[in-house]
Amino acid sequence: MTVRLVGRGRLGDLHDGCTITEEITLCSFDCMGTVSYEQELKGESDFFEKATRLSKQTKGVVVCGCVTDTRGMKRKSALVAENGRLIGISDMTHSVDGEVGCGAGLHVYDTKIGRIGVAVADDIAFAQVVDCLANCGSDVILCPYTQVTDMTPQLLMRAYAYLYGVPIVLCGVGYSMIAEADGGLAFATPQNTAVFSLDRRKEYHLVETRKRGLLHFHG
């Protein structure tokens, strides 16, 4: 699985020279900025079109962070496109200190590359988000991020990847990184654009537990 990380750069500039097929292109919030649904529907902006065209050119999946504006209600979101088609938009489900509004519901996208879970920006700070995405069968979890200012995202990614057995890819403004399922840091870079080949590994273990109560429960 080839992952292209774009920490800085405008979405429209990514078409030139991009010939890699069956890749994931993950863009930080720098690439799209704020997107108005109303302007998109009226044809006054073309952010969604640029993302879908890029996914058609790469014959793969494009996930791009952006701030969506619904008549003044702003949310941190991730646009997901595959092979020339918009397949969904995921919203951040946790709003910290009311910076923006929050959406509802997590999404795992079935693509030809595999099942892709999307954790938007600050959602990576909440273990239940990764837990849900992993338990719903994600082969990889992608996180478009804003500005990376410290090592907290890396520490969380590595812990989650180890605990839930799924690789996590985060692309932020100024820094991008990939944590493998064994908890190791597979890749990290401050470069604006980078490409990394990620191995897909699935490992399962039987975990048993005992619980008091449920005296009348027989399955």
Side-chain angles (χ1 to χ4, degrees):
M1 180 187 297
T2 304
V3 182
R4 185 184 186 198
L5 301 163
V6 184
R8 284 192 174 96
R10 306 311 296 172
L11 189 63
D13 298 332
L14 301 182
H15 298 271
D16 298 336
C18 187
T19 59
I20 301 174
T21 59
E22 289 200 351
E23 71 167 355
I24 293 172
T25 302
L26 176 60
C27 304
S28 76
F29 277 72
D30 183 68
C31 295
M32 290 182 69
T34 300
V35 180
S36 166
Y37 283 122
E38 186 175 4
Q39 290 180 357
E40 285 287 315
L41 291 173
K42 289 181 178 179
E44 298 173 355
S45 62
D46 61 351
F47 291 105
F48 291 176
E49 180 184 350
K50 288 177 180 177
T52 54
R53 282 197 287 114
L54 180 61
S55 70
K56 184 175 183 179
Q57 184 176 356
T58 62
K59 298 180 181 178
V61 177
V62 172
V63 177
C64 192
C66 60
V67 175
T68 52
D69 186 342
T70 309
R71 295 186 177 274
M73 172 61 74
K74 294 185 177 181
R75 300 181 178 91
K76 289 181 181 178
S77 307
L79 180 149
V80 184
E82 181 186 21
N83 200 23
R85 185 171 60 93
L86 179 65
I87 62 174
I89 296 176
S90 292
D91 293 330
M92 187 175 71
T93 59
H94 296 79
S95 178
V96 180
D97 295 331
E99 177 190 3
V100 292
C102 59
L106 299 171
H107 297 278
V108 176
Y109 298 91
D110 285 303
T111 73
K112 66 177 183 179
I113 299 172
R115 291 175 61 81
I116 296 175
V118 177
V120 181
D122 294 340
D123 274 353
I124 199 66
F126 296 88
Q128 61 267 36
V129 170
V130 181
D131 186 20
C132 288
L133 294 175
N135 285 328
C136 288
S138 298
D139 294 311
V140 62
I141 294 174
L142 305 181
C143 179
Y145 202 74
T146 51
Q147 186 82 36
V148 178
T149 58
D150 56 34
M151 300 305 293
T152 302
Q154 182 185 131
L155 295 173
L156 291 172
M157 286 172 55
R158 295 179 65 179
Y160 295 155
Y162 175 76
L163 290 171
Y164 300 111
V166 59
I168 302 176
V169 183
L170 182 145
C171 184
V173 181
Y175 207 78
S176 299
M177 46 201 154
I178 299 174
E180 291 188 324
D182 62 1
L185 186 64
F187 182 74
T189 180
Q191 296 179 0
N192 293 339
T193 303
V195 177
F196 183 82
S197 182
L198 179 65
D199 293 332
R200 285 184 293 181
R201 295 185 300 172
K202 292 185 179 180
E203 185 174 348
Y204 296 90
H205 298 274
L206 177 63
V207 179
E208 296 180 306
T209 184
R210 288 186 176 186
K211 183 177 178 61
R212 295 185 63 177
L214 303 177
L215 298 178
H216 302 290
F217 180 75
H218 301 288

